[in-house]
Amino acid sequence: MSKHILVVEDDERISSFIRRGLEAEGYLVEVVQDGRDGIARGMASFDLIILDLLLPDQSGHEVCQVLRREQIQTPILMLTAKDGLEDKLSGFDHGADDYLTKPFAFEELLARIKALLRRRPAYEEAPSVLQVADLTLDRSSREVRRGITTIALTRKEFDLLEYLMSNPNKALSRTSILDQVWGYHHDTLTNTIDVYIGYLRKKIDGGSHTKLIQTVRDFGYKISDARPS
C-alpha cells in the first residue's frame, strides 16, 4: 500500500517539486499552504508530514505543538532555511522528528522520508511499560517516572530514552541512535545526540545516586543499573 504524505508548504514552486518527485516514487501526496490547514489535515491519518517552518499564518513550530498536544504521533519532517544547532534543537523540542535545510536535493529528502517511515518498527514491539532499575517509561501514556517522581520530557527526549530503555544494558552506537531516534544515517547530528543525552542525564540521573545513562567511550551510550566497567 502506498504511503500517504502531507506537505504543508506555502511556496508553490517547492511544494510542486516535492509532489512531483514523491508521486514519481509511488507516494500519495496532499499539499496544503498554511498552518491552519496543516493542523486540520494533520489530524487525519497520514504516514508522514513535511512541514515548512515559515508559513503565512503561523509557524511550523506552532503547528507541531498543536498536533503533538492533540496526541498526533505522525512523523514530522521540518523544512527550514535555518541550519544552526540551536534552530535544530528548537525544531526537535517543538515536536519535529527530523530537520532538513533549504535548499536540498530531492535524493536527500527521499532518504530522510524513507528513514522516518522505517525507524519505528525496529523497536515498536517492545512492552508497553519499560523499566530499568527504578526508572519506568509507559509508552502508551508517554509518562516517565524515577521512583515516585514523574519526569517531564520533550518528545525527542522521550524518544531517545525509549530507544535506550528498549535495549537495556546494550551499548548503542551513535549511528544506531541517529537511525532509530532521528531517522537519519549520517553523523551531522552527532552533537545533537550529546546535547540530548545531557538533557536526559539532568532529568533522569540528576537527583539519584545510581546513574543509569552511561557513556561507552568512542562508541555511543547505554542505559544500565550495573556499575560501569
Side-chain angles (χ1 to χ4, degrees):
M1 182 180 295
S2 297
K3 299 295 186 180
H4 199 182
I5 296 177
L6 175 66
V7 178
V8 187
E9 169 62 72
D10 65 312
D11 187 320
E12 292 187 14
R13 179 181 58 85
I14 295 175
S15 63
S16 178
F17 164 72
I18 294 173
R19 181 200 286 271
R20 289 197 309 270
L22 292 182
E23 288 181 341
E25 293 291 329
Y27 294 98
L28 299 175
V29 182
E30 180 176 335
V31 176
V32 297
Q33 296 182 325
D34 59 45
R36 182 180 62 183
D37 287 343
I39 291 170
R41 294 301 299 134
M43 299 289 184
S45 180
F46 286 90
D47 295 290
L48 184 136
I49 298 171
I50 298 173
L51 175 64
D52 186 36
L53 176 61
L54 298 178
L55 296 167
D57 55 343
Q58 54 191 311
S59 72
H61 287 163
E62 292 172 316
V63 174
C64 262
Q65 282 185 311
V66 172
L67 291 176
R68 297 313 187 206
R69 190 165 60 240
E70 294 298 321
Q71 302 301 311
I72 302 300
Q73 301 300 324
T74 307
I76 295 176
L77 171 60
M78 187 169 287
L79 304 179
T80 176
K82 300 179 179 180
D83 62 355
L85 178 59
E86 291 296 324
D87 299 306
K88 293 178 182 178
L89 295 179
S90 179
F92 293 138
D93 285 344
H94 283 86
D97 294 276
D98 200 2
Y99 191 104
L100 185 58
T101 304
K102 298 176 182 179
F104 53 84
F106 179 75
E107 290 75 13
E108 183 177 12
L109 174 68
L110 191 61
R112 301 287 187 98
I113 289 171
K114 289 179 177 179
L116 283 172
L117 289 175
R118 67 178 171 76
R119 73 178 179 88
R120 297 297 295 184
Y123 57 103
E124 204 165 48
E125 295 181 0
S128 178
V129 178
L130 306 176
Q131 183 165 1
V132 176
D134 61 344
L135 176 68
T136 59
L137 179 149
D138 189 319
R139 302 169 79 232
S140 58
S141 67
R142 297 183 71 83
E143 183 175 78
V144 174
R145 290 179 178 271
R146 185 79 191 260
I148 63 172
T149 303
T150 300
I151 300 172
L153 299 179
T154 66
R155 175 181 171 83
K156 192 55 63 178
E157 290 168 354
F158 184 94
D159 291 346
L160 175 55
L161 182 63
E162 180 185 12
Y163 182 50
L164 293 172
M165 293 183 69
S166 296
N167 297 275
N169 304 305
K170 180 180 178 181
L172 301 171
S173 70
R174 293 171 184 273
T175 300
S176 72
I177 293 172
L178 281 173
D179 186 26
Q180 294 298 319
V181 180
W182 275 268
Y184 196 43
H185 302 290
H186 304 297
D187 62 359
T188 55
L189 292 175
T190 297
N191 290 341
T192 305
I193 293 176
D194 297 335
V195 169
Y196 272 86
I197 287 290
Y199 291 161
L200 281 183
R201 279 180 164 148
K202 288 180 181 178
K203 294 183 177 183
I204 301 299
D205 288 336
S208 177
H209 177 71
T210 303
K211 308 303 181 185
L212 299 178
I213 300 174
Q214 302 174 9
T215 299
V216 181
R217 179 174 289 185
D218 299 325
F219 187 74
Y221 298 96
K222 69 177 179 179
I223 191 163
S224 175
D225 58 355
R227 181 171 297 181
S229 56

